[in-house]
Amino acid sequence: MDFLYDCKNFAEIYKDDITKKFTELFSEFEDCDKVSQKQNVYELNRLIDEMNKEEFRSVFNNEMFDKINKMIEEKKMDLKNAILLLKQVGYCNELNESQICGFYFTLLSKSFEKMIFEEEEKKEEKDEKLLVDLCECNLLLGSIFSSKLISICVPCLLKVASDKEENEEAQKEVEMALLALNNIGFCKVEQELFLDKITEIIKYLQEHRNLTRLAYQSVWQFLINQLRNNRSWEYVVANELHFAREAIKELEELSKCVDWKRQKDEEGVNETKEEIILKRWLKTLLIYFRYCQLRNEEFVKLIGNIAQILRTAKNNFGEICDRCLECFDNSVRNKSVEIEHFLESGAIDVIFEMIVQSNIDLRQNICCLSFIKKLCKRLKEKKASESYEAKRKEVKRKLFEKLEEYGYEDWTIGFNYCFVEEDEDCYFLIENLNDYFVYY
């Protein structure tokens, strides 16, 4: 036991020491030549990889970025070495969802944006590699982008993403370009800048499977984000590119790589890359379920796939569990999603399983009951069509049978008591819940 205690203490001391090591090593830059600087960057990048979110945010703030900008201007840091460092910072920022705030307002952001515009305007001797690197840095680190910057960066990075070479270096470049594009988020991108090229890239990847899982998730994230701005081409997403089918395939493969038995309180265990990418897919699906209106036979299978992940994750993987619940919440808000989809897929079963289990936390209880409340509200919506009314009553009957199967009366009475005692703000979730089901 003493040995284990000492190991734990050593791990904590080492973690606390990472930011100090980084700061000390970074301060040596001014006294190094270009070659030594590059070696320093490799060591700094290794330390960045080991940082947790708190350590990462404490180091990479506006002050640090402005310091880097000043060192570049004063020739104390070589631009290529600075880019090598910043691409790693951007990569970790995006992968770990560290969410660096305010980069857009830094001097470094303005300097890089100015370099991008100047490089793009060159008629001859344009440095394509520098342009790509600068675009990636700005997109990976930023959260606000001008329309002019987007109009340059998107075609530039799509060109990199179209590289069909299968060597490791080329794949890494494609991954970085797609990860940067993915970070544009909901900023509007004109359709002519990306749709044909992104469709071509996805179709090629579906046929050849020659890209990393992270890159494949990123290209879909970029495309699905843009659905929020323009749904005119969602037919391409649903029926030509078969997004739901591809998401099912990726979620199934990633689920096989996750150690679902790992204890949630186990210390010293970092997320695997597969866990991170799985969470990113669920983030993509949040947008898809909220904004995409087209449905096909693949959709119910996708709902069922998420239900299975939720069932597996509910005890030990809180963040994955939360995202699955958010997916269901967005789905039930979307009027194009039929209530029977939740019945057929098993989603309602796993929601009820969670509610009746004793170790579920309050936040997840709220999400489950909020889902049921929204579902019930939709079942109260009447229409003049006789066929719709008959279908609505049949779905309500099936749902009521599910409630009885899971001890509906017992847990509603229990949660009325618990919520009043623990958090009165949650009481609205179950107020008059019985009224939605008794008369069908």
Side-chain angles (χ1 to χ4, degrees), residues 212-226:
T212 65
R213 284 196 175 118
L214 177 59
Y216 194 49
Q217 182 277 326
S218 296
V219 71
W220 276 114
Q221 179 78 53
F222 172 76
L223 186 58
I224 297 299
N225 280 346
Q226 291 305 310

Side-chain angles (χ1 to χ4, degrees), residues 115-117 119-120 126-137 139 148-163 173-174 176-178 180-181 184 189 192-194 197-198 201 222:
M115 289 184 210
I116 289 170
F117 297 155
E119 201 64 42
E120 175 64 17
K126 184 184 294 187
D127 190 336
E128 297 286 354
K129 178 68 168 65
L130 176 61
L131 183 59
V132 168
D133 287 339
L134 292 169
C135 287
E136 288 175 348
C137 286
L139 294 190
K148 184 178 179 182
L149 185 69
I150 286 175
S151 69
I152 296 171
C153 289
V154 170
C156 175
L157 296 183
L158 283 176
K159 185 177 179 180
V160 176
S162 301
D163 190 344
E173 287 300 317
V174 172
M176 190 69 82
L178 290 172
L181 282 171
I184 287 175
V189 182
E192 60 269 17
L193 287 176
F194 73 92
K197 182 58 70 175
I198 210 88
I201 290 170
F222 172 76

Side-chain angles (χ1 to χ4, degrees), residues 208-264:
H208 297 276
R209 297 287 166 181
N210 67 325
L211 207 53
T212 65
R213 284 196 175 118
L214 177 59
Y216 194 49
Q217 182 277 326
S218 296
V219 71
W220 276 114
Q221 179 78 53
F222 172 76
L223 186 58
I224 297 299
N225 280 346
Q226 291 305 310
L227 269 180
R228 185 180 182 182
N229 298 317
N230 186 347
R231 293 211 293 263
S232 65
W233 38 270
E234 67 178 303
Y235 178 87
V236 174
V237 172
N239 296 325
E240 188 177 329
L241 298 176
H242 297 280
F243 171 73
R245 181 193 67 194
E246 294 299 301
I248 291 167
K249 189 183 299 182
E250 292 297 308
L251 289 175
E252 286 177 347
E253 289 300 315
L254 289 164
S255 294
K256 292 174 186 176
C257 302
V258 176
D259 179 12
W260 295 109
K261 294 180 181 178
R262 192 188 82 204
Q263 294 301 306
K264 61 182 176 182

Side-chain angles (χ1 to χ4, degrees), residues 355-378:
I355 290 173
V356 298
Q357 74 181 48
S358 60
N359 62 339
I360 184 173
D361 66 35
L362 182 61
R363 185 187 70 260
Q364 290 173 356
N365 267 327
I366 292 170
C367 291
C368 290
L369 290 172
S370 177
F371 169 82
I372 293 172
K373 183 175 185 289
K374 292 183 181 76
L375 183 146
C376 296
K377 186 176 180 181
R378 283 189 55 189

Side-chain angles (χ1 to χ4, degrees), residues 22 41 84 86 98 122 149 166 191 195 232 236 262 264 273 309-310 341 358 360 391 403 407 418:
F22 183 94
V41 168
L84 189 62
L86 290 166
S98 300
K122 288 182 181 178
L149 185 69
E166 298 190 13
Q191 186 171 312
L195 188 57
S232 65
V236 174
R262 192 188 82 204
K264 61 182 176 182
K273 196 166 186 178
I309 290 173
L310 178 57
H341 288 158
S358 60
I360 184 173
K391 183 179 179 181
L403 286 167
C418 288

